[in-house]
């Protein structure tokens, strides 16, 4: 962690970038659908409503300033993900999931 | 209740949304930022959608074989019944958003009252449209506050827009013989009765936006009655109706 989390994001005169997450229906989790610019979080939600939910896609919208997201580095790919490649027993694929269970 | 008066009332409702919808659509592809461009296009589409319902019902009431499309595309200036404010040119973005805000506050107030209309068709259309109008109002009010209470430059744009538009707001609350007849039958609210709610909505937002409400009560009128539209409506119609005029009956 850097001290990025405590210092407010720099303002350049451009509207900050927000990442948009939409919950498609009750019971599902919010999914990342894209990003947009807005002057503040409230307006970002309105913009998200206009840009991403015109066809009845959602029941709930989250917006997060893109600067507030900490991401893994692409260079760490091998160390992070390769070790699990050959460990099939970690996947619950040896069970039959009954249809009634619904979303897993 | 006469059908002629009901027809005029429906034209007043439908022509407001038609003409403003067309005006707002003129921003498509050239709004200041992409997100506003999409939002304005959505607003325009909402208004045109409402127009289809109002003018569709108007055409049924008229019962002379005309459709909503005929009413929108084949009438000339003097047959339009929209208020003058909505035919004003967009000018700058601040003026456009101020016009939208002043109209949205009125539209939401009017549609809320129309939900209780004694005419079931009008009540149904209003119940559907008021949801859109509520969102339009929230959005335009927030923009008016952000720009009014923004930089000195944006403040000046919003104040100029307000000063230009204020004399066009009085027409929204004008009451003539048609309104009186419809209000007496419970079809529409008395236009004057909407004014207090509107002024309260508008002053709250404008105060927060640090904008000064003009103190002049002079009102430009003549749009709702068709007596005297501004020269801008004719120019708007040449754009909007061009295709149907040049290729009569052209279809998808």
């Amino acid at each position: 962690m850097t001290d990025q989390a405590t210092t407010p994001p720099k303002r350049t005169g451009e509207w900050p970038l927000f990442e948009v997450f939409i919950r498609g229906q009750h019971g599902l989790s919010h999914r990342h659908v894209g990003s947009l610019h807005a002057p503040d979080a409230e307006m970002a939600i309105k913009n998200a409503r206009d840009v991403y939910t015109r066809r009845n896609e959602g029941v709930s919208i989250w917006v997060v300033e893109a600067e507030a997201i900490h991401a893994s580095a692409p260079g760490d790919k091998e160390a992070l993900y390769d070790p699990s490649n050959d460990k099939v027993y970690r996947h619950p694929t040896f069970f039959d999931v009954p249809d009634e269970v619904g979303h897993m | 209740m006469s059908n002629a008066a009901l027809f005029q009332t429906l034209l007043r409702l439908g022509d407001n949304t038609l003409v403003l919808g067309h005006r707002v659509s003129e921003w498509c592809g050239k709004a200041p930022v992409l997100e506003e461009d999409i939002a304005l296009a959505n607003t325009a589409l909402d208004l045109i959608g409402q127009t289809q319902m109002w003018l569709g019902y108007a055409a049924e009431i008229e019962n002379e074989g005309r459709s909503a499309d005929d009413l929108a595309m084949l009438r000339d200036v003097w047959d339009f019944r929209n208020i003058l404010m909505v035919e004003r040119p967009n000018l700058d973005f601040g003026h456009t958003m101020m016009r939208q805000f002043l109209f949205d506050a009125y539209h939401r107030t009017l549609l809320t009252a129309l939900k209780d209309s004694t005419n079931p068709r009008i009540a149904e259309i209003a119940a559907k449209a008021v949801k859109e109008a509520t969102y339009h109002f929230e959005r335009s009010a927030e923009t008016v506050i952000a720009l009014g209470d923004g930089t000195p430059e944006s403040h000046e744009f919003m104040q100029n827009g307000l000063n230009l538009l204020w004399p066009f707001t009085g027409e929204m609350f004008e009451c003539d013989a048609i309104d009186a007849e419809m209000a007496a039958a419970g079809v529409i609210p008395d236009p004057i009765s909407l004014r207090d709610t509107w002024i309260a909505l508008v002053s709250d937002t404008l105060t927060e936006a640090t904008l000064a409400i003009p103190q002049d009560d002079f009102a430009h009128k003549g749009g709702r009655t068709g007596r005297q539209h501004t020269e801008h409506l004719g120019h708007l119609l040449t754009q909007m109706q061009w295709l149907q005029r040049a290729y009569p009956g052209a279809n998808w």
Side-chain angles (χ1 to χ4, degrees):
Chain A
M1 289 283 266
T2 62
D3 62 353
Q4 210 180 356
T6 47
T7 44
K10 253 185 257 143
R11 298 295 181 203
T12 57
E14 289 284 317
W15 288 350
L17 185 70
F18 286 83
E19 298 298 332
V20 181
F21 300 81
I22 290 180
R23 184 206 293 272
Q25 43 177 291
H26 292 292
L28 294 185
S29 50
H30 287 74
R31 293 186 56 155
H32 184 238
V33 294
S35 52
L36 48 74
H37 290 92
D40 57 32
E42 226 169 299
M43 214 55 203
I45 288 180
K46 288 195 166 62
N47 286 346
R49 182 259 194 201
D50 278 310
V51 177
Y52 293 112
T53 69
R54 292 205 55 223
R55 293 167 193 85
N56 212 15
E57 288 94 338
V59 294
S60 164
I61 299 172
W62 285 354
V63 293
V64 179
E65 269 203 64
E67 290 201 38
I69 293 177
H70 298 267
S72 61
D76 293 343
K77 200 166 64 121
E78 288 185 2
L80 285 177
Y81 313 115
D82 280 2
S84 60
N85 262 353
D86 56 354
K87 300 180 175 69
V88 286
Y89 48 86
R90 289 184 180 175
H91 296 270
T93 48
F94 304 99
F95 304 93
D96 292 322
V97 182
D99 290 342
E100 298 80 53
V101 170
H103 301 292
M104 280 280 285
Chain B
M1 181 179 79
S2 73
N3 271 358
L6 178 57
F7 178 64
Q8 289 298 318
T9 297
L10 292 167
L11 289 185
R12 287 171 177 182
L13 291 162
D15 286 347
N16 274 348
T17 51
L18 173 62
V19 173
L20 184 59
H22 184 83
R23 271 289 182 237
V24 175
S25 80
E26 292 172 0
W27 277 104
C28 190
K30 46 186 182 183
V33 291
L34 179 66
E35 288 79 1
E36 287 298 335
D37 200 291
I38 295 172
L40 283 169
N42 281 348
T43 302
L45 285 169
D46 286 346
L47 292 170
I48 300 298
Q50 294 171 17
T51 305
Q52 279 180 324
M53 296 191 280
W54 292 127
L55 294 188
Y57 184 31
E60 282 175 40
I61 291 298
E62 188 193 34
N63 199 21
E64 288 193 7
R66 291 203 281 185
S67 66
D69 286 339
D70 294 335
L71 289 174
M73 296 302 163
L74 300 177
R75 278 179 302 152
D76 211 335
V77 169
W78 45 81
D79 288 327
F80 273 76
R81 294 293 179 267
N82 56 280
I83 56 172
L84 299 177
M85 187 172 79
V86 296
E87 68 197 45
R88 282 180 56 77
N90 289 333
L91 304 182
D92 53 78
F93 182 72
H95 175 269
T96 297
M97 292 314 293
M98 183 56 78
R99 182 186 60 199
Q100 193 64 36
F101 163 69
L102 295 171
F103 180 80
D104 289 341
Y106 161 71
H107 204 204
R108 194 181 86 163
T109 309
L110 172 63
L111 291 172
T112 304
L114 285 177
K115 282 199 294 180
D116 299 323
S117 170
T118 53
N119 178 312
R121 272 289 285 283
I122 290 183
E124 270 171 38
I125 297 172
K128 193 159 184 283
V130 75
K131 293 177 194 162
E132 294 171 341
T134 300
Y135 177 74
H136 296 166
F137 173 73
E138 284 173 15
R139 184 172 186 102
S140 59
E142 204 164 316
T143 306
V144 164
I145 293 168
L147 293 178
D149 190 17
T151 64
E153 190 186 7
S154 72
H155 177 89
E156 199 186 328
F157 269 100
M158 297 316 279
Q159 186 66 57
N160 285 347
L162 180 58
N163 294 347
L164 278 170
L165 288 158
W166 193 255
F168 290 91
T169 57
E171 192 182 11
M172 301 190 285
F173 311 105
E174 176 191 52
C175 182
D176 65 3
I178 294 170
D179 297 310
E181 185 188 336
M182 289 289 115
V187 176
I188 61 166
D190 180 345
I192 299 158
S193 71
L194 305 174
R195 196 164 193 281
D196 286 348
T197 312
W198 178 82
I199 201 89
L201 273 178
V202 163
S203 344
D204 277 356
T205 302
L206 292 177
T207 307
E208 203 179 331
T210 71
L211 296 168
I213 299 178
Q215 291 307 310
D216 190 354
D217 280 344
F218 173 76
H220 293 290
K221 290 175 182 173
R224 296 177 85 240
T225 57
R227 187 177 56 80
Q228 192 173 35
H229 280 283
T230 67
E231 71 272 28
H232 307 299
L233 182 60
H235 292 283
L236 180 148
L237 295 187
T238 59
Q239 294 285 317
M240 187 176 82
Q241 299 182 334
W242 174 82
L243 194 123
Q244 278 305 316
R245 300 287 191 185
Y247 304 96
N251 219 319
W252 284 110

